[in-house]
Amino acid sequence: MASSTTGTDEGAFKTPKNVRVKSFASSGGTPVTIPASPFMKKLGCGTGVNVYLMDRMGKLNASPWAVKKINRKCADKQVAVYQKRLNEEAKVLKGIDHPNIVGFRAFATAKDGSKCLAMEYGGEQSLNDLIEKRKEDGLKAFPVANIEKVALHVARGLRYLHNEKKLLHGDMKSCNVVIKGDFESVKICDVGVSLQLDENMRVSDPKADYIGTEPWKPMEALEEGGEISDKADMFAYGLTLWEMMTLAMPHLEMLGDDDDKEDEDDSMDEESFDEDAYYERLGTRPTLDVEALGSSYQRMVELFFLCTEEEPKKRPSAAQVVQALESNAPLDKTPCEVIVID
């Protein structure tokens, strides 16, 4: 999910009536009624998809669902690509059961052929939404306790994907982490571009494309013929923690001279964007003002540094991160090169 919006999807009035469909849901094939897009609250959007809140009123003790649907405004060729991706996401999500990963509820095809993936929803917002709100409120880094909780719970979700399901998430970032309430729960979402891993934690299909999102891509995903492993997720995971410490997007908002922008609108326009500098920085570790954060953030800063090593072998695995965080062990005791932070 990307940034949150409300309202209706103006392009969806071609199917104004509720569509009764059958799914291969956890309900065992029980017919599921998916309302047409205009009759659901829009929660957010992603590449080629919109996400809606489906209020299941009338069903005893029924919790609401988040329903992901293809954006019908996409070109016909793109719609086919996104439908295939959503179908793959439904298959993957159906086989996943972990408290730190958004759960599967139903998968359906509407009469117009559009795919509808229903997922658990407990009032969550994306971490990216929370970052944007915090920035709008003029606040700085999240409290360290919030960052530590996200770090542990996302690492647990990634450990499950990597070790038990042999899956690379493939698109870790703040948009794909959902938070309930005051960090009551932390869950990974959007497994639609996940890739199968082999016993060595490398992507098993050499022809498989690592999709990712450009600012969060590690160097190996940007290089021709780069070997993709579970460590690609760990690089993006490190940048997700960086987002919480800086309230910025990797390699974009930090490009300019911050001292010159203190009293100006910090939004970036196309004219001020240094494209060459941006592409030179992709796949590298973005800068972090450690001194401004203070000593209480040292542990999260160390984790960020370890996970954003350019060489994949120097990054910790998700299992190593979980072990270190759960045992409160020093992060530099992992089998990674020790990072000294001045």
Side-chain angles (χ1 to χ4, degrees):
M1 269 187 283
S3 59
S4 176
T5 57
T6 58
T8 59
D9 185 357
E10 296 176 357
F13 279 92
K14 295 178 181 179
T15 55
K17 297 180 180 180
N18 285 2
V19 181
R20 193 167 181 80
V21 293
K22 280 200 172 186
S23 72
F24 56 76
S26 54
S27 56
T30 303
V32 177
T33 300
I34 305 291
S37 302
F39 302 101
M40 292 188 287
K41 177 182 177 182
K42 190 173 180 181
L43 294 173
C45 57
T47 306
V49 296
N50 292 321
V51 182
Y52 301 92
L53 176 64
M54 179 177 165
D55 192 348
R56 300 167 67 225
M57 292 178 63
K59 293 185 178 293
L60 186 63
N61 297 323
S63 58
W65 288 350
V67 177
K68 184 182 289 189
K69 298 185 71 175
I70 302 298
N71 186 344
R72 302 300 296 178
K73 293 180 182 178
C74 298
D76 290 343
K77 187 176 181 180
Q78 290 177 309
V79 168
V81 172
Y82 297 137
Q83 284 189 341
K84 181 180 179 182
R85 189 177 294 175
L86 193 61
N87 185 63
E88 291 302 313
E89 180 176 4
K91 289 180 180 178
V92 170
L93 196 59
K94 191 184 179 188
I96 289 174
D97 182 14
H98 191 274
N100 295 122
I101 302 176
V102 168
F104 173 86
R105 291 296 179 265
F107 186 65
T109 304
K111 288 183 179 179
D112 65 355
S114 64
K115 304 293 185 181
C116 306
L117 172 59
M119 302 163 286
E120 69 170 312
Y121 177 77
E124 299 95 343
Q125 296 183 75
S126 78
L127 179 57
N128 181 257
D129 286 340
L130 296 179
I131 289 171
E132 290 299 316
K133 185 178 187 307
R134 194 170 181 84
K135 186 162 55 175
E136 288 170 7
D137 292 342
L139 300 173
K140 299 297 183 182
F142 281 83
V144 68
N146 293 157
I147 302 176
E148 289 175 346
K149 185 163 188 178
V150 169
L152 176 58
H153 288 236
V154 171
R156 285 173 176 167
L158 289 176
R159 179 183 63 179
Y160 171 82
L161 287 177
H162 296 168
N163 292 33
E164 296 190 38
K165 307 307 290 186
K166 288 294 184 288
L167 285 173
L168 179 79
H169 181 277
D171 197 16
M172 275 306 309
K173 55 185 178 181
S174 62
C175 292
N176 290 337
V177 177
V178 291
I179 310 294
K180 179 180 179 181
D182 187 17
F183 291 84
E184 296 164 28
S185 73
V186 179
K187 300 190 180 192
I188 299 170
C189 65
D190 282 357
V191 294
V193 294
S194 62
L195 297 172
Q196 200 70 43
L197 296 170
D198 62 21
E199 63 277 4
N200 297 312
M201 291 295 185
R202 302 187 185 98
V203 172
S204 57
D205 182 359
K207 295 182 180 179
D209 291 327
Y210 176 89
I211 303 297
T213 303
E214 202 167 60
W216 289 265
K217 284 186 176 183
M219 190 61 71
E220 64 268 23
L222 296 164
E223 296 174 337
E224 187 74 27
E227 185 178 81
I228 306 299
S229 69
D230 63 317
K231 301 301 180 64
D233 273 350
M234 299 313 296
F235 184 89
Y237 163 84
L239 291 185
T240 303
L241 302 182
W242 178 89
E243 289 182 79
M244 295 188 74
M245 290 186 275
T246 63
L247 308 186
M249 184 181 292
H251 312 302
L252 286 178
E253 297 187 23
M254 304 290 281
L255 283 177
D257 184 350
D258 292 337
D259 292 337
D260 295 337
K261 294 184 178 181
E262 286 183 359
D263 300 319
E264 299 177 13
D265 180 3
D266 63 359
S267 61
M268 185 174 57
D269 57 39
E270 190 171 348
E271 290 183 5
S272 65
F273 177 58
D274 188 338
E275 189 172 8
D276 290 337
Y278 166 70
Y279 281 106
E280 283 178 8
R281 294 192 183 204
L282 286 181
T284 68
R285 179 189 295 136
T287 59
L288 181 63
D289 190 343
V290 178
E291 186 175 338
L293 285 170
S295 60
S296 63
Y297 288 83
Q298 182 178 349
R299 192 166 174 77
M300 290 299 97
V301 169
E302 289 174 354
L303 182 56
F304 156 68
F305 269 68
L306 285 167
C307 290
T308 53
E309 280 281 4
E310 190 169 313
E311 188 177 335
K313 291 181 181 179
K314 293 182 179 180
R315 302 172 204 152
S317 67
Q320 288 167 342
V321 170
V322 171
Q323 182 179 15
L325 294 180
E326 287 183 341
S327 63
N328 203 33
L331 290 165
D332 60 10
K333 296 302 182 183
T334 63
C336 305
E337 183 177 283
V338 177
I339 300 297
V340 178
I341 303 173
D342 296 331

